[in-house]
Amino acid sequence: MRTTLYDLLKRLVATGELHDPVVEFGAARAAGQVHLPSVASMFTGQTFIGVDMSPGVSVDQLHNLHSLGFRGKSIRSALMFDTIEHVEHPRLALSEIRRCLAPDGVLLMTTVFFFPIHPFPDDYWRFTAQGMASLMNEFDKVHTGEGGLRLFPHTVVGLAGGPEVDPRAWRTLTMTVDDWLREGSTSWKERALALLPPHLLQWAYERHSTSAEHGSKKIWRT
């Protein structure tokens, strides 16, 4: 999970519109990230479940996004940070989340676009805002946006909601996402991606990454 996403989550939690039970899909921490705050720590006093396909730090339950073990309409807030690009069948995964989402529930999903390939163990996809909206087209409410350069966005965010999401709550959530995309989504790392030549970026990324980080996390593969 990229550190800039913590700011997005803090802003959304502060709205009071992310209700429990909260489920984070792709919750396992990759090597080098275990020192970061847990997503669960931001939901004090709320029911929170960290989900992944394999055991790991921050994982409470094991599920496969292609066939979730949750009851229908049992999740009110679903979170998926930079995970969908690692899901082999993303439409099936989104259909499963929709099945499990309560009528007044919301899904927050982020993904990278202009970003190095990072196999955990595989890196399948890049989605534009339009692609994200297409993935979410089964939901009743959909809002997507991009952060970074107009033609080379580094981050894509999608919000989806059920038919009974309060309109005022939905407006608050979408405005919060849009404000973050404009003001808080770009750190020095994203600026470096936009400014440095690809061959230098590849050298720096490969030098920083380790073999343990590449392939240590098995995400949503059948």
Side-chain angles (χ1 to χ4, degrees), residues 110-148:
T110 73
T111 189
V112 295
F113 188 82
F114 184 53
F115 194 82
I117 294 173
H118 53 298
F120 289 109
D122 298 300
D123 188 351
Y124 294 105
W125 314 105
R126 293 294 181 269
F127 298 99
T128 61
Q130 293 85 353
M132 183 81 80
S134 178
L135 282 182
M136 292 176 155
N137 63 7
E138 291 186 10
F139 293 82
D140 294 84
K141 295 178 172 62
V142 175
H143 181 86
T144 64
E146 298 169 339

Side-chain angles (χ1 to χ4, degrees), residues 1-116:
M1 180 170 168
R2 290 172 291 155
T3 54
T4 51
L5 298 178
Y6 285 99
D7 182 56
L8 171 61
L9 183 57
K10 287 178 182 177
R11 295 183 187 210
L12 290 169
V13 170
T15 68
E17 301 297 348
L18 293 182
H19 305 293
D20 63 340
V22 181
V23 178
E24 181 192 9
F25 296 101
R29 292 304 175 87
Q33 292 187 332
V34 294
H35 65 286
L36 297 173
S38 67
V39 173
S41 66
M42 301 188 187
F43 293 92
T44 304
Q46 293 181 276
T47 300
F48 182 95
I49 304 170
V51 168
D52 213 295
M53 274 194 66
S54 302
V57 176
S58 298
V59 177
D60 302 308
Q61 294 183 15
L62 300 181
H63 292 265
N64 188 321
L65 261 170
H66 298 136
S67 181
L68 293 173
F70 290 98
R71 290 183 294 104
K73 301 180 180 181
S74 63
I75 300 172
R76 294 190 71 196
S77 297
L79 309 175
M80 199 184 321
F81 294 109
D82 292 0
T83 295
I84 195 65
E85 65 267 25
H86 304 288
V87 178
E88 189 171 2
H89 303 290
R91 290 192 182 277
L92 177 57
L94 268 291
S95 181
E96 273 292 278
I97 291 176
R98 180 177 177 270
R99 177 185 65 80
C100 298
L101 201 66
D104 63 346
V106 296
L107 162 66
L108 169 70
M109 184 163 67
T110 73
T111 189
V112 295
F113 188 82
F114 184 53
F115 194 82

